[in-house]
Amino acid sequence: MKVRRILVATDGTEVSLRGVAAAADVAQRYDAELLLMTAVPIPQHVVTAAKIDGRGVERYVERMAAEALQGGIDLLGQMGRGAAVKVVTGHPAESVVSEAAASRADLVVMGRRSRVEPKDLVLGSVSDRVARNLSVPILLIP
């Protein structure tokens, strides 16, 4: 398998940062391009109920994206790696799958929580939903 472009999804959690570190290692090994992304969900019912205008939504997305990405950017800097950064709005699982296709990623790397919540039994976790719908290999990091 030739790996030229790696998409790594982060939400700023410790487990997702382990995914960023693993993706950086793989990118170094294969001399691959690294794309760091986060997805910011915007619940429409909250926007409507709170009567948030367009600029308010933009500020919310910017703040949430900065919080989710900063740890990954810092970690990559400590590792001496750079990455293109992408922020998308929408459901995280669907956004990762869409971005993997749009960016022509050869590999997707994500952290995976080890705990299982009751809702995960019905809906599945984000990483499970990504893995079921992805057309390229995925590396899940515990």
Side-chain angles (χ1 to χ4, degrees), residues 82-102:
V85 176
K86 178 86 179 226
V87 176
V88 295
T89 58
H91 185 278
E94 294 167 5
S95 297
V96 172
V97 172
S98 293
E99 187 56 36

Side-chain angles (χ1 to χ4, degrees), residues 52-73:
I52 300 173
D53 64 3
R55 183 61 193 134
V57 171
E58 287 176 21
R59 283 192 302 269
Y60 169 80
V61 169
E62 289 169 0
R63 188 184 71 217
M64 297 304 291
E67 289 175 12
L69 290 167
Q70 193 59 58
I73 292 169

Side-chain angles (χ1 to χ4, degrees), residues 21-67:
D25 288 344
V26 173
Q28 183 172 346
R29 178 181 181 137
Y30 290 97
D31 194 29
E33 193 179 315
L34 196 57
L35 175 60
L36 179 68
M37 76 157 289
T38 194
V40 178
I42 303 175
Q44 193 57 46
H45 65 282
V46 173
V47 171
T48 303
K51 297 182 179 161
I52 300 173
D53 64 3
R55 183 61 193 134
V57 171
E58 287 176 21
R59 283 192 302 269
Y60 169 80
V61 169
E62 289 169 0
R63 188 184 71 217
M64 297 304 291
E67 289 175 12

